[in-house]
Amino acid sequence: MPHLSSQQLRAWRGVLELQAVLMPKLEAELREETGLTINEFDVLYQLWRAPGGVRRVGDLANDVLVTRGGVTRLADRLVDRGLIEQRREEGRQAVQLALTSTGGHQIRAAMDVRFRGVRRRFVDLLDAEEVELLAKIWARLQAHNAGED
């Protein structure tokens, strides 16, 4: 390969191929046991992590791996299911999303499913040093690529 060595290509393809194989399996488990998609889980999880379970839509869009419009569509579905609610501050245009008590129960159950799958299909297959090394690698790559157009 003139552009990447075979080892570099295997490293890059490994990331892509692992994601392509792993994510559908994790999503299928999550959907089967909780009825949530991975993106719905991510919105609920980010709200669960937020102080008071409340985030502005724009801020939430920065933390989930979908567009702002995608967050709005996800939020509409989650509102319809009673898992979150929209809040508007008087005199402000920004919409906030808040986790409901039903949503709190749902995300706690979903975290058990989601992280059990991540542990079984990823974490348990690595030793502690490999986990630490991967965490450092992802942090370095993310920091380098953050904010680039």
Side-chain angles (χ1 to χ4, degrees):
M1 285 258 120
H3 302 289
L4 296 174
S5 71
S6 58
Q7 185 174 13
Q8 290 167 335
L9 184 60
R10 280 193 312 273
W12 173 244
R13 292 285 307 175
V15 169
L16 301 176
E17 290 169 2
L18 179 61
Q19 181 180 11
V21 169
L22 192 56
M23 295 308 285
K25 290 178 180 183
L26 290 172
E27 176 142 20
E29 290 172 359
L30 188 65
R31 281 190 142 193
E32 183 178 311
E33 294 189 43
T34 69
L36 295 172
T37 67
I38 284 181
N39 289 335
E40 291 168 342
F41 170 89
D42 201 15
V43 168
L44 293 174
Y45 182 69
Q46 294 301 328
L47 289 173
W48 177 81
R49 293 181 61 220
V54 178
R55 299 282 305 276
R56 288 183 20 192
V57 171
D59 295 336
L60 189 59
N62 292 332
D63 290 333
V64 296
L65 302 177
V66 295
T67 64
R68 185 182 174 116
V71 168
T72 300
R73 287 186 296 279
L74 285 166
D76 289 344
R77 289 198 312 256
L78 295 169
V79 166
D80 289 345
R81 290 164 55 191
L83 302 176
I84 66 173
E85 62 185 16
Q86 290 185 350
R87 297 180 182 169
R88 295 185 190 274
E89 291 183 46
E90 193 168 325
R92 298 193 55 135
Q93 194 172 22
V95 174
Q96 292 184 321
L97 300 175
L99 195 60
T100 64
S101 62
T102 302
H105 293 298
Q106 180 77 22
I107 190 59
R108 283 188 289 282
M111 284 190 291
D112 290 343
V113 173
R114 173 78 163 150
F115 296 127
R116 182 179 62 231
V118 169
R119 182 171 298 284
R120 187 179 75 253
R121 295 179 181 278
F122 182 77
V123 175
D124 288 348
L125 303 174
L126 304 168
D127 63 36
E129 293 81 21
E130 291 169 325
V131 170
E132 184 177 345
L133 179 59
L134 282 175
K136 286 180 183 177
I137 290 168
W138 302 143
R140 182 174 5 136
L141 293 172
Q142 185 178 11
H144 174 78
N145 289 289
E148 286 189 8
D149 294 282

